[in-house]
Amino acid sequence: MGAMQHAARDPTPLTTQRRDGDERRALSQRRASLVFLLAKTAGRTMPETRNTSLVAAIDCPGGGQVWIDGTTLFVAHMNPPAGTSIYDVADPRHPRLLAQVEMPGGYHSHKVRARDGLMIVNHEKQGEDGDPAFGGGLGIYDVSTPSRPRLIRKWRTGGTGVHRFDFDGRYAYVSPTADGYVGNFVMILDLKDPANPQEAGRWWIPGQHTAGGEDYPWNDYVKPRCHHPLRMGDRLYVSYWHHGFFILDIADLARPRLVSAMNSSPAHPHPTHTCLPIPQKLRGRNIMVVADEDVAKLRPSPPAFSWIYDITDERQPMPIATFDVEGLDKDGAPQPRMMGCHQPSEVFTGTVIPFAWFAQGLRVVDIADPFRPREIGFYKPDPPRGCEFASSNDVTMDKRGLIYLTDRQRGVHIIELTGTA
């Protein structure tokens, strides 16, 4: 099944822990949050808001992903040595730092998922630096006591490692690299025994497995790159960067089967970041939200936006609407990267979906009418100090309806929706 390797232990991770009872650190964190809020208002433009209000702000290194499990917040950071920070948000107005897991130079750990006491983070190589002994893959942690994360297993892969993944408590749906393949592909990893992960299945675009004798047809185009799969039922909805998206039948996990594919590139210049299926029918239709990321443009262009697809006939996905921030694209002229869409929250309630929209902050969109998605609120934070723009990178929700928005440069905002009109 390829060159994946499992190692019993990882000799290099660096872990620093903050104990629950460490009052001095808790006080320091509260003071830092206050300083962060004061800095944002001292001589600066206040955040732009509509139907939202700020509950709290956390001053921390820039984040690639935020995730909530119960009242524990996990923040995966963009750059080492910051790896993952764990906070208690039982009192969301006073987040409390519990623990931090650090990363060695040359690697980042900017994605995190946690469920039922198990935390998974990605390990991905950055640039040419970094000790090869550390390697790319996944870090699997016991966080049954969130203040004491304990490494259970480092799961290794060839190449640069894992970019992003989904996790349902049993299976991880990952986008690894591996020796013999060009670019990231789809893998299903069984974590029934987290100390001994087992590959359950994999899928790739024909042509990626060059070591298997496949002809590589993209010498004049962007190489294939699975961004990440999302599971609903017995389907995987897979974003594949400038190769569009794929719907896979995984009724047999060992043999994923292609159902359909769609690619708006190269006619559309932005890469496909997220394919988010909606669990309930809307207007009698099965719907999928597809977000393009406002980076890696094939050519100078206006900002990226989000699509609404009708997948009632999943063999023929059909775009029926788009959503963009009003007034952002005034005339079709090219704009710098990271002005437009990044991604939707993969956790949402009903038909209301929060989006991280890079420089435009949080956008809250109601897709009850999938033909006419409607913005019902936003929170556009000030840029972090020393930055020209905000860069909202990820967003999620908890069961209380609170929204957690992380900036890839610095900080996390906890936000509540105050209206829908």
mmCIF file with all atom_site columns, all heavy atoms in Angstrom, residues 308 323 351-355 357 363-368 372-377:
data_model
loop_
_atom_site.group_PDB
_atom_site.id
_atom_site.type_symbol
_atom_site.label_atom_id
_atom_site.label_alt_id
_atom_site.label_comp_id
_atom_site.label_asym_id
_atom_site.label_entity_id
_atom_site.label_seq_id
_atom_site.pdbx_PDB_ins_code
_atom_site.Cartn_x
_atom_site.Cartn_y
_atom_site.Cartn_z
_atom_site.occupancy
_atom_site.B_iso_or_equiv
_atom_site.pdbx_formal_charge
_atom_site.auth_seq_id
_atom_site.auth_comp_id
_atom_site.auth_asym_id
_atom_site.auth_atom_id
_atom_site.pdbx_PDB_model_num
ATOM 1   N N   . ILE A 1 308 ? -22.227 27.761 -4.531 1.00 0.00 ? 308 ILE A N   1
ATOM 2   C CA  . ILE A 1 308 ? -23.255 26.842 -4.060 1.00 0.00 ? 308 ILE A CA  1
ATOM 3   C C   . ILE A 1 308 ? -23.543 25.859 -5.190 1.00 0.00 ? 308 ILE A C   1
ATOM 4   O O   . ILE A 1 308 ? -23.885 26.273 -6.306 1.00 0.00 ? 308 ILE A O   1
ATOM 5   C CB  . ILE A 1 308 ? -24.555 27.565 -3.661 1.00 0.00 ? 308 ILE A CB  1
ATOM 6   C CG1 . ILE A 1 308 ? -24.267 28.726 -2.703 1.00 0.00 ? 308 ILE A CG1 1
ATOM 7   C CG2 . ILE A 1 308 ? -25.548 26.576 -3.062 1.00 0.00 ? 308 ILE A CG2 1
ATOM 8   C CD1 . ILE A 1 308 ? -23.760 28.307 -1.346 1.00 0.00 ? 308 ILE A CD1 1
ATOM 9   N N   . PHE A 1 323 ? -21.483 33.376 -3.603 1.00 0.00 ? 323 PHE A N   1
ATOM 10  C CA  . PHE A 1 323 ? -21.533 34.416 -2.577 1.00 0.00 ? 323 PHE A CA  1
ATOM 11  C C   . PHE A 1 323 ? -20.203 35.131 -2.540 1.00 0.00 ? 323 PHE A C   1
ATOM 12  O O   . PHE A 1 323 ? -19.137 34.507 -2.558 1.00 0.00 ? 323 PHE A O   1
ATOM 13  C CB  . PHE A 1 323 ? -21.828 33.850 -1.189 1.00 0.00 ? 323 PHE A CB  1
ATOM 14  C CG  . PHE A 1 323 ? -21.688 34.900 -0.116 1.00 0.00 ? 323 PHE A CG  1
ATOM 15  C CD1 . PHE A 1 323 ? -22.698 35.824 0.083  1.00 0.00 ? 323 PHE A CD1 1
ATOM 16  C CD2 . PHE A 1 323 ? -20.527 35.003 0.632  1.00 0.00 ? 323 PHE A CD2 1
ATOM 17  C CE1 . PHE A 1 323 ? -22.558 36.833 1.034  1.00 0.00 ? 323 PHE A CE1 1
ATOM 18  C CE2 . PHE A 1 323 ? -20.373 36.002 1.581  1.00 0.00 ? 323 PHE A CE2 1
ATOM 19  C CZ  . PHE A 1 323 ? -21.397 36.916 1.783  1.00 0.00 ? 323 PHE A CZ  1
ATOM 20  N N   . THR A 1 351 ? -28.926 26.531 8.668  1.00 0.00 ? 351 THR A N   1
ATOM 21  C CA  . THR A 1 351 ? -28.478 27.021 7.358  1.00 0.00 ? 351 THR A CA  1
ATOM 22  C C   . THR A 1 351 ? -27.536 28.215 7.473  1.00 0.00 ? 351 THR A C   1
ATOM 23  O O   . THR A 1 351 ? -27.213 28.847 6.469  1.00 0.00 ? 351 THR A O   1
ATOM 24  C CB  . THR A 1 351 ? -29.694 27.408 6.498  1.00 0.00 ? 351 THR A CB  1
ATOM 25  O OG1 . THR A 1 351 ? -30.428 28.465 7.154  1.00 0.00 ? 351 THR A OG1 1
ATOM 26  C CG2 . THR A 1 351 ? -30.616 26.220 6.272  1.00 0.00 ? 351 THR A CG2 1
ATOM 27  N N   . VAL A 1 352 ? -27.106 28.527 8.689  1.00 0.00 ? 352 VAL A N   1
ATOM 28  C CA  . VAL A 1 352 ? -26.234 29.689 8.920  1.00 0.00 ? 352 VAL A CA  1
ATOM 29  C C   . VAL A 1 352 ? -24.790 29.211 9.033  1.00 0.00 ? 352 VAL A C   1
ATOM 30  O O   . VAL A 1 352 ? -24.457 28.421 9.920  1.00 0.00 ? 352 VAL A O   1
ATOM 31  C CB  . VAL A 1 352 ? -26.664 30.456 10.175 1.00 0.00 ? 352 VAL A CB  1
ATOM 32  C CG1 . VAL A 1 352 ? -25.668 31.579 10.481 1.00 0.00 ? 352 VAL A CG1 1
ATOM 33  C CG2 . VAL A 1 352 ? -28.064 31.032 9.995  1.00 0.00 ? 352 VAL A CG2 1
ATOM 34  N N   . ILE A 1 353 ? -23.940 29.687 8.120  1.00 0.00 ? 353 ILE A N   1
ATOM 35  C CA  . ILE A 1 353 ? -22.554 29.224 8.036  1.00 0.00 ? 353 ILE A CA  1
ATOM 36  C C   . ILE A 1 353 ? -21.601 30.402 8.225  1.00 0.00 ? 353 ILE A C   1
ATOM 37  O O   . ILE A 1 353 ? -21.630 31.355 7.431  1.00 0.00 ? 353 ILE A O   1
ATOM 38  C CB  . ILE A 1 353 ? -22.273 28.553 6.679  1.00 0.00 ? 353 ILE A CB  1
ATOM 39  C CG1 . ILE A 1 353 ? -23.249 27.388 6.454  1.00 0.00 ? 353 ILE A CG1 1
ATOM 40  C CG2 . ILE A 1 353 ? -20.831 28.063 6.614  1.00 0.00 ? 353 ILE A CG2 1
ATOM 41  C CD1 . ILE A 1 353 ? -23.102 26.734 5.096  1.00 0.00 ? 353 ILE A CD1 1
ATOM 42  N N   . PRO A 1 354 ? -20.744 30.385 9.233  1.00 0.00 ? 354 PRO A N   1
ATOM 43  C CA  . PRO A 1 354 ? -19.691 31.391 9.339  1.00 0.00 ? 354 PRO A CA  1
ATOM 44  C C   . PRO A 1 354 ? -18.565 31.092 8.338  1.00 0.00 ? 354 PRO A C   1
ATOM 45  O O   . PRO A 1 354 ? -18.228 29.934 8.100  1.00 0.00 ? 354 PRO A O   1
ATOM 46  C CB  . PRO A 1 354 ? -19.186 31.240 10.779 1.00 0.00 ? 354 PRO A CB  1
ATOM 47  C CG  . PRO A 1 354 ? -20.191 30.365 11.473 1.00 0.00 ? 354 PRO A CG  1
ATOM 48  C CD  . PRO A 1 354 ? -20.795 29.511 10.414 1.00 0.00 ? 354 PRO A CD  1
ATOM 49  N N   . PHE A 1 355 ? -18.004 32.133 7.769  1.00 0.00 ? 355 PHE A N   1
ATOM 50  C CA  . PHE A 1 355 ? -16.859 32.023 6.861  1.00 0.00 ? 355 PHE A CA  1
ATOM 51  C C   . PHE A 1 355 ? -15.697 32.850 7.397  1.00 0.00 ? 355 PHE A C   1
ATOM 52  O O   . PHE A 1 355 ? -15.890 33.942 7.927  1.00 0.00 ? 355 PHE A O   1
ATOM 53  C CB  . PHE A 1 355 ? -17.195 32.574 5.471  1.00 0.00 ? 355 PHE A CB  1
ATOM 54  C CG  . PHE A 1 355 ? -17.980 31.663 4.584  1.00 0.00 ? 355 PHE A CG  1
ATOM 55  C CD1 . PHE A 1 355 ? -19.353 31.517 4.756  1.00 0.00 ? 355 PHE A CD1 1
ATOM 56  C CD2 . PHE A 1 355 ? -17.366 30.970 3.553  1.00 0.00 ? 355 PHE A CD2 1
ATOM 57  C CE1 . PHE A 1 355 ? -20.095 30.694 3.918  1.00 0.00 ? 355 PHE A CE1 1
ATOM 58  C CE2 . PHE A 1 355 ? -18.098 30.143 2.717  1.00 0.00 ? 355 PHE A CE2 1
ATOM 59  C CZ  . PHE A 1 355 ? -19.466 29.999 2.891  1.00 0.00 ? 355 PHE A CZ  1
ATOM 60  N N   . TRP A 1 357 ? -12.946 35.035 5.903  1.00 0.00 ? 357 TRP A N   1
ATOM 61  C CA  . TRP A 1 357 ? -12.820 35.695 4.604  1.00 0.00 ? 357 TRP A CA  1
ATOM 62  C C   . TRP A 1 357 ? -11.562 36.569 4.559  1.00 0.00 ? 357 TRP A C   1
ATOM 63  O O   . TRP A 1 357 ? -11.579 37.701 4.101  1.00 0.00 ? 357 TRP A O   1
ATOM 64  C CB  . TRP A 1 357 ? -14.071 36.537 4.322  1.00 0.00 ? 357 TRP A CB  1
ATOM 65  C CG  . TRP A 1 357 ? -14.457 36.604 2.875  1.00 0.00 ? 357 TRP A CG  1
ATOM 66  C CD1 . TRP A 1 357 ? -14.012 37.509 1.942  1.00 0.00 ? 357 TRP A CD1 1
ATOM 67  C CD2 . TRP A 1 357 ? -15.367 35.742 2.178  1.00 0.00 ? 357 TRP A CD2 1
ATOM 68  N NE1 . TRP A 1 357 ? -14.583 37.270 0.728  1.00 0.00 ? 357 TRP A NE1 1
ATOM 69  C CE2 . TRP A 1 357 ? -15.429 36.190 0.836  1.00 0.00 ? 357 TRP A CE2 1
ATOM 70  C CE3 . TRP A 1 357 ? -16.124 34.645 2.544  1.00 0.00 ? 357 TRP A CE3 1
ATOM 71  C CZ2 . TRP A 1 357 ? -16.218 35.570 -0.125 1.00 0.00 ? 357 TRP A CZ2 1
ATOM 72  C CZ3 . TRP A 1 357 ? -16.920 34.028 1.600  1.00 0.00 ? 357 TRP A CZ3 1
ATOM 73  C CH2 . TRP A 1 357 ? -16.961 34.495 0.275  1.00 0.00 ? 357 TRP A CH2 1
ATOM 74  N N   . ARG A 1 363 ? -17.568 36.462 8.038  1.00 0.00 ? 363 ARG A N   1
ATOM 75  C CA  . ARG A 1 363 ? -18.816 36.731 7.322  1.00 0.00 ? 363 ARG A CA  1
ATOM 76  C C   . ARG A 1 363 ? -19.786 35.599 7.668  1.00 0.00 ? 363 ARG A C   1
ATOM 77  O O   . ARG A 1 363 ? -19.425 34.425 7.570  1.00 0.00 ? 363 ARG A O   1
ATOM 78  C CB  . ARG A 1 363 ? -18.618 36.802 5.808  1.00 0.00 ? 363 ARG A CB  1
ATOM 79  C CG  . ARG A 1 363 ? -17.395 37.527 5.334  1.00 0.00 ? 363 ARG A CG  1
ATOM 80  C CD  . ARG A 1 363 ? -17.198 38.925 5.887  1.00 0.00 ? 363 ARG A CD  1
ATOM 81  N NE  . ARG A 1 363 ? -18.173 39.907 5.468  1.00 0.00 ? 363 ARG A NE  1
ATOM 82  C CZ  . ARG A 1 363 ? -17.953 41.226 5.501  1.00 0.00 ? 363 ARG A CZ  1
ATOM 83  N NH1 . ARG A 1 363 ? -16.780 41.693 5.954  1.00 0.00 ? 363 ARG A NH1 1
ATOM 84  N NH2 . ARG A 1 363 ? -18.901 42.073 5.122  1.00 0.00 ? 363 ARG A NH2 1
ATOM 85  N N   . VAL A 1 364 ? -20.969 35.940 8.085  1.00 0.00 ? 364 VAL A N   1
ATOM 86  C CA  . VAL A 1 364 ? -21.971 34.952 8.484  1.00 0.00 ? 364 VAL A CA  1
ATOM 87  C C   . VAL A 1 364 ? -23.044 34.917 7.406  1.00 0.00 ? 364 VAL A C   1
ATOM 88  O O   . VAL A 1 364 ? -23.695 35.930 7.137  1.00 0.00 ? 364 VAL A O   1
ATOM 89  C CB  . VAL A 1 364 ? -22.577 35.293 9.857  1.00 0.00 ? 364 VAL A CB  1
ATOM 90  C CG1 . VAL A 1 364 ? -23.529 34.180 10.294 1.00 0.00 ? 364 VAL A CG1 1
ATOM 91  C CG2 . VAL A 1 364 ? -21.477 35.486 10.900 1.00 0.00 ? 364 VAL A CG2 1
ATOM 92  N N   . VAL A 1 365 ? -23.221 33.743 6.794  1.00 0.00 ? 365 VAL A N   1
ATOM 93  C CA  . VAL A 1 365 ? -24.045 33.631 5.586  1.00 0.00 ? 365 VAL A CA  1
ATOM 94  C C   . VAL A 1 365 ? -25.165 32.621 5.814  1.00 0.00 ? 365 VAL A C   1
ATOM 95  O O   . VAL A 1 365 ? -24.927 31.508 6.299  1.00 0.00 ? 365 VAL A O   1
ATOM 96  C CB  . VAL A 1 365 ? -23.181 33.193 4.379  1.00 0.00 ? 365 VAL A CB  1
ATOM 97  C CG1 . VAL A 1 365 ? -24.020 33.116 3.106  1.00 0.00 ? 365 VAL A CG1 1
ATOM 98  C CG2 . VAL A 1 365 ? -22.004 34.153 4.194  1.00 0.00 ? 365 VAL A CG2 1
ATOM 99  N N   . ASP A 1 366 ? -26.387 33.020 5.457  1.00 0.00 ? 366 ASP A N   1
ATOM 100 C CA  . ASP A 1 366 ? -27.548 32.137 5.527  1.00 0.00 ? 366 ASP A CA  1
ATOM 101 C C   . ASP A 1 366 ? -27.830 31.604 4.127  1.00 0.00 ? 366 ASP A C   1
ATOM 102 O O   . ASP A 1 366 ? -28.049 32.387 3.191  1.00 0.00 ? 366 ASP A O   1
ATOM 103 C CB  . ASP A 1 366 ? -28.757 32.893 6.064  1.00 0.00 ? 366 ASP A CB  1
ATOM 104 C CG  . ASP A 1 366 ? -29.940 31.983 6.373  1.00 0.00 ? 366 ASP A CG  1
ATOM 105 O OD1 . ASP A 1 366 ? -29.943 30.817 5.924  1.00 0.00 ? 366 ASP A OD1 1
ATOM 106 O OD2 . ASP A 1 366 ? -30.880 32.441 7.056  1.00 0.00 ? 366 ASP A OD2 1
ATOM 107 N N   . ILE A 1 367 ? -27.827 30.263 3.997  1.00 0.00 ? 367 ILE A N   1
ATOM 108 C CA  . ILE A 1 367 ? -28.072 29.648 2.689  1.00 0.00 ? 367 ILE A CA  1
ATOM 109 C C   . ILE A 1 367 ? -29.428 28.949 2.653  1.00 0.00 ? 367 ILE A C   1
ATOM 110 O O   . ILE A 1 367 ? -29.613 28.008 1.881  1.00 0.00 ? 367 ILE A O   1
ATOM 111 C CB  . ILE A 1 367 ? -26.944 28.681 2.300  1.00 0.00 ? 367 ILE A CB  1
ATOM 112 C CG1 . ILE A 1 367 ? -26.837 27.521 3.301  1.00 0.00 ? 367 ILE A CG1 1
ATOM 113 C CG2 . ILE A 1 367 ? -25.606 29.414 2.190  1.00 0.00 ? 367 ILE A CG2 1
ATOM 114 C CD1 . ILE A 1 367 ? -25.985 26.363 2.809  1.00 0.00 ? 367 ILE A CD1 1
ATOM 115 N N   . ALA A 1 368 ? -30.384 29.392 3.488  1.00 0.00 ? 368 ALA A N   1
ATOM 116 C CA  . ALA A 1 368 ? -31.705 28.768 3.507  1.00 0.00 ? 368 ALA A CA  1
ATOM 117 C C   . ALA A 1 368 ? -32.300 28.725 2.104  1.00 0.00 ? 368 ALA A C   1
ATOM 118 O O   . ALA A 1 368 ? -32.938 27.743 1.710  1.00 0.00 ? 368 ALA A O   1
ATOM 119 C CB  . ALA A 1 368 ? -32.633 29.516 4.459  1.00 0.00 ? 368 ALA A CB  1
ATOM 120 N N   . ARG A 1 372 ? -29.971 32.083 -3.377 1.00 0.00 ? 372 ARG A N   1
ATOM 121 C CA  . ARG A 1 372 ? -29.715 33.466 -2.971 1.00 0.00 ? 372 ARG A CA  1
ATOM 122 C C   . ARG A 1 372 ? -29.072 33.499 -1.586 1.00 0.00 ? 372 ARG A C   1
ATOM 123 O O   . ARG A 1 372 ? -29.717 33.904 -0.609 1.00 0.00 ? 372 ARG A O   1
ATOM 124 C CB  . ARG A 1 372 ? -31.020 34.269 -2.978 1.00 0.00 ? 372 ARG A CB  1
ATOM 125 C CG  . ARG A 1 372 ? -31.642 34.411 -4.357 1.00 0.00 ? 372 ARG A CG  1
ATOM 126 C CD  . ARG A 1 372 ? -33.007 35.107 -4.290 1.00 0.00 ? 372 ARG A CD  1
ATOM 127 N NE  . ARG A 1 372 ? -33.611 35.203 -5.619 1.00 0.00 ? 372 ARG A NE  1
ATOM 128 C CZ  . ARG A 1 372 ? -34.297 34.229 -6.196 1.00 0.00 ? 372 ARG A CZ  1
ATOM 129 N NH1 . ARG A 1 372 ? -34.449 33.066 -5.572 1.00 0.00 ? 372 ARG A NH1 1
ATOM 130 N NH2 . ARG A 1 372 ? -34.819 34.398 -7.401 1.00 0.00 ? 372 ARG A NH2 1
ATOM 131 N N   . PRO A 1 373 ? -27.833 33.063 -1.452 1.00 0.00 ? 373 PRO A N   1
ATOM 132 C CA  . PRO A 1 373 ? -27.168 33.145 -0.143 1.00 0.00 ? 373 PRO A CA  1
ATOM 133 C C   . PRO A 1 373 ? -27.123 34.589 0.334  1.00 0.00 ? 373 PRO A C   1
ATOM 134 O O   . PRO A 1 373 ? -26.895 35.513 -0.460 1.00 0.00 ? 373 PRO A O   1
ATOM 135 C CB  . PRO A 1 373 ? -25.775 32.576 -0.411 1.00 0.00 ? 373 PRO A CB  1
ATOM 136 C CG  . PRO A 1 373 ? -25.599 32.614 -1.892 1.00 0.00 ? 373 PRO A CG  1
ATOM 137 C CD  . PRO A 1 373 ? -26.953 32.510 -2.496 1.00 0.00 ? 373 PRO A CD  1
ATOM 138 N N   . ARG A 1 374 ? -27.338 34.774 1.644  1.00 0.00 ? 374 ARG A N   1
ATOM 139 C CA  . ARG A 1 374 ? -27.528 36.127 2.185  1.00 0.00 ? 374 ARG A CA  1
ATOM 140 C C   . ARG A 1 374 ? -26.644 36.333 3.407  1.00 0.00 ? 374 ARG A C   1
ATOM 141 O O   . ARG A 1 374 ? -26.675 35.526 4.341  1.00 0.00 ? 374 ARG A O   1
ATOM 142 C CB  . ARG A 1 374 ? -29.004 36.292 2.555  1.00 0.00 ? 374 ARG A CB  1
ATOM 143 C CG  . ARG A 1 374 ? -29.398 37.609 3.155  1.00 0.00 ? 374 ARG A CG  1
ATOM 144 C CD  . ARG A 1 374 ? -30.909 37.665 3.342  1.00 0.00 ? 374 ARG A CD  1
ATOM 145 N NE  . ARG A 1 374 ? -31.362 36.705 4.350  1.00 0.00 ? 374 ARG A NE  1
ATOM 146 C CZ  . ARG A 1 374 ? -31.572 36.998 5.639  1.00 0.00 ? 374 ARG A CZ  1
ATOM 147 N NH1 . ARG A 1 374 ? -31.326 38.241 6.076  1.00 0.00 ? 374 ARG A NH1 1
ATOM 148 N NH2 . ARG A 1 374 ? -32.005 36.086 6.479  1.00 0.00 ? 374 ARG A NH2 1
ATOM 149 N N   . GLU A 1 375 ? -25.870 37.407 3.389  1.00 0.00 ? 375 GLU A N   1
ATOM 150 C CA  . GLU A 1 375 ? -25.056 37.727 4.559  1.00 0.00 ? 375 GLU A CA  1
ATOM 151 C C   . GLU A 1 375 ? -25.943 38.318 5.640  1.00 0.00 ? 375 GLU A C   1
ATOM 152 O O   . GLU A 1 375 ? -26.679 39.279 5.403  1.00 0.00 ? 375 GLU A O   1
ATOM 153 C CB  . GLU A 1 375 ? -23.952 38.711 4.193  1.00 0.00 ? 375 GLU A CB  1
ATOM 154 C CG  . GLU A 1 375 ? -23.014 39.021 5.356  1.00 0.00 ? 375 GLU A CG  1
ATOM 155 C CD  . GLU A 1 375 ? -21.830 39.875 4.938  1.00 0.00 ? 375 GLU A CD  1
ATOM 156 O OE1 . GLU A 1 375 ? -21.980 41.124 4.923  1.00 0.00 ? 375 GLU A OE1 1
ATOM 157 O OE2 . GLU A 1 375 ? -20.783 39.292 4.608  1.00 0.00 ? 375 GLU A OE2 1
ATOM 158 N N   . ILE A 1 376 ? -25.854 37.747 6.865  1.00 0.00 ? 376 ILE A N   1
ATOM 159 C CA  . ILE A 1 376 ? -26.678 38.234 7.964  1.00 0.00 ? 376 ILE A CA  1
ATOM 160 C C   . ILE A 1 376 ? -25.846 38.877 9.065  1.00 0.00 ? 376 ILE A C   1
ATOM 161 O O   . ILE A 1 376 ? -26.405 39.405 10.032 1.00 0.00 ? 376 ILE A O   1
ATOM 162 C CB  . ILE A 1 376 ? -27.543 37.108 8.554  1.00 0.00 ? 376 ILE A CB  1
ATOM 163 C CG1 . ILE A 1 376 ? -26.680 35.976 9.102  1.00 0.00 ? 376 ILE A CG1 1
ATOM 164 C CG2 . ILE A 1 376 ? -28.528 36.584 7.503  1.00 0.00 ? 376 ILE A CG2 1
ATOM 165 C CD1 . ILE A 1 376 ? -27.466 34.932 9.888  1.00 0.00 ? 376 ILE A CD1 1
ATOM 166 N N   . GLY A 1 377 ? -24.540 38.838 8.949  1.00 0.00 ? 377 GLY A N   1
ATOM 167 C CA  . GLY A 1 377 ? -23.698 39.469 9.948  1.00 0.00 ? 377 GLY A CA  1
ATOM 168 C C   . GLY A 1 377 ? -22.239 39.379 9.565  1.00 0.00 ? 377 GLY A C   1
ATOM 169 O O   . GLY A 1 377 ? -21.852 38.576 8.708  1.00 0.00 ? 377 GLY A O   1
#
